[in-house]
């Protein structure tokens, strides 16, 4: 809230001029009333992310120095557990596993990272189980996407808005139930206390 107020003052030309000149802030001013369009406010700070932005990031990230460092760090953090490595490294799916393995093997051979038993002696069954699990998750995600009729960003946005409305209704209903259940008791309790004080 404090950062929001500071930004509101500094981004408003009149408020900024008054603050620079007098060192004071108009607390009643429109900029600090909180009646702002928060979506517009966050758009000033962060640009909208599109599918193309994600694809561009993926292209620049894969086989980069940053990815190499992330793979090595994940390998050390998870002591060679490929399940957790594959879950934590950005922009990878099960088809990337041979590439990730080669990167780690090269780092082990050059002495950059230690040799962990969990990686070097991973069983073939564990590899197959990981592949099956990821393939199953991909099929389920595709099926859910088809069931929801998600074809593009607009469809996804509509789904999120719809779910937000449902959540808001659920919250309103919940608050109404609490008020109905405890609202009357609170009033009665207040009266009893007042009556006792009178005695």
């Amino acid at each position: 809230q404090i950062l929001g107020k500071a930004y509101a003052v500094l981004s408003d030309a009149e408020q900024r001029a008054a603050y620079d000149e007098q060192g004071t802030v108009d607390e009643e001013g429109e900029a600090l009333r909180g009646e702002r369009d928060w979506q517009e406010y966050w758009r000033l700070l962060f640009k909208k992310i599109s599918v193309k932005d994600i694809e561009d990031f993926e292209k620049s990230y894969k086989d980069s120095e940053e990815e190499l460092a992330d793979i090595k760090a994940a390998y050390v953090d998870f002591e060679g557990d490929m399940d957790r490595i594959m879950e934590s490294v950005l922009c990878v799916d099960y088809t990337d596993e041979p590439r990730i393995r080669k990167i780690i093997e090269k780092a082990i051979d050059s002495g950059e990272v230690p040799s962990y038993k969990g990686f070097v002696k991973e069983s073939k069954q564990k590899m197959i189980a990981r592949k099956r699990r990821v393939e199953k998750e991909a099929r389920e995600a595709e099926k859910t996407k088809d069931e929801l009729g998600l074809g593009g960003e607009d469809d996804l946005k509509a789904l999120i808005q719809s779910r937000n409305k449902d959540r808001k209704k659920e919250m309103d209903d919940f608050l109404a139930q609490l008020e109905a259940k405890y609202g009357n008791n609170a009033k009665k309790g207040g009266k009893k206390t007042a009556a006792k004080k009178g005695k």
Side-chain angles (χ1 to χ4, degrees):
Q1 288 175 341
I2 291 166
L3 288 173
K5 285 185 176 184
Y7 181 83
V9 170
L10 297 175
S11 62
D12 183 274
E14 289 179 23
Q15 288 264 9
R16 175 74 185 260
Y19 179 76
D20 288 344
E21 192 178 314
Q22 302 165 11
T24 58
V25 175
D26 179 10
E27 292 285 342
E28 299 301 315
E30 194 177 319
L32 294 182
R33 273 192 216 139
E35 298 165 7
R36 63 166 63 241
D37 181 346
W38 286 104
Q39 188 171 347
E40 185 185 329
Y41 168 69
W42 289 113
R43 276 290 151 258
L44 289 170
L45 301 178
F46 308 105
K47 74 170 192 141
K48 189 175 182 179
I49 302 295
S50 67
V51 172
K52 188 180 181 305
D53 291 328
I54 295 168
E55 287 169 353
D56 290 345
F57 171 75
E58 188 174 342
K59 282 176 193 169
S60 66
Y61 178 75
K62 281 194 173 181
D63 298 315
S64 69
E65 288 296 318
E66 187 182 359
E67 186 196 42
L68 189 64
D70 289 347
I71 291 167
K72 290 177 192 172
Y75 171 77
V76 172
D77 289 345
F78 302 126
E79 298 184 354
D81 185 338
M82 275 304 284
D83 285 349
R84 297 177 75 188
I85 293 166
M86 292 300 290
E87 285 171 6
S88 68
V89 177
L90 297 174
C91 305
V92 299
D93 59 40
Y94 74 93
T95 60
D96 288 299
E97 186 168 333
R99 183 177 68 85
I100 303 292
R101 278 193 167 278
K102 280 181 187 173
I103 290 168
I104 293 170
E105 284 163 3
K106 190 177 174 186
I108 291 169
D109 292 343
S110 65
E112 292 175 68
V113 295
S115 176
Y116 290 117
K117 188 179 175 183
F119 176 80
V120 179
K121 298 196 175 183
E122 184 180 44
S123 68
K124 197 167 184 179
Q125 287 88 346
K126 191 179 176 193
M127 289 184 197
I128 292 166
R130 178 169 53 251
K131 185 182 176 191
R132 283 182 182 157
R133 186 173 63 249
V134 174
E135 285 175 339
K136 183 185 173 192
E137 286 169 2
R139 284 194 303 272
E140 285 172 357
E142 201 60 39
K143 186 181 172 187
T144 304
K145 182 180 166 188
D146 292 340
E147 284 171 0
L148 295 170
L150 298 178
E153 287 183 18
D154 290 339
D155 292 334
L156 183 58
K157 187 178 175 183
L159 176 68
I160 291 167
Q161 287 173 342
S162 167
R163 286 194 175 164
N164 284 344
K165 282 178 188 171
D166 291 344
R167 285 194 191 111
K168 185 181 183 304
K169 187 180 181 308
E170 284 171 15
M171 191 62 184
D172 289 345
D173 291 346
F174 174 68
L175 291 173
Q177 286 172 4
L178 284 179
E179 193 177 350
K181 188 173 181 181
Y182 298 108
N184 294 335
N185 291 344
K187 285 176 187 172
K188 285 176 187 173
K191 285 178 183 174
K192 283 181 185 174
T193 309
K196 281 180 184 175
K197 282 182 182 174
K199 288 178 182 176

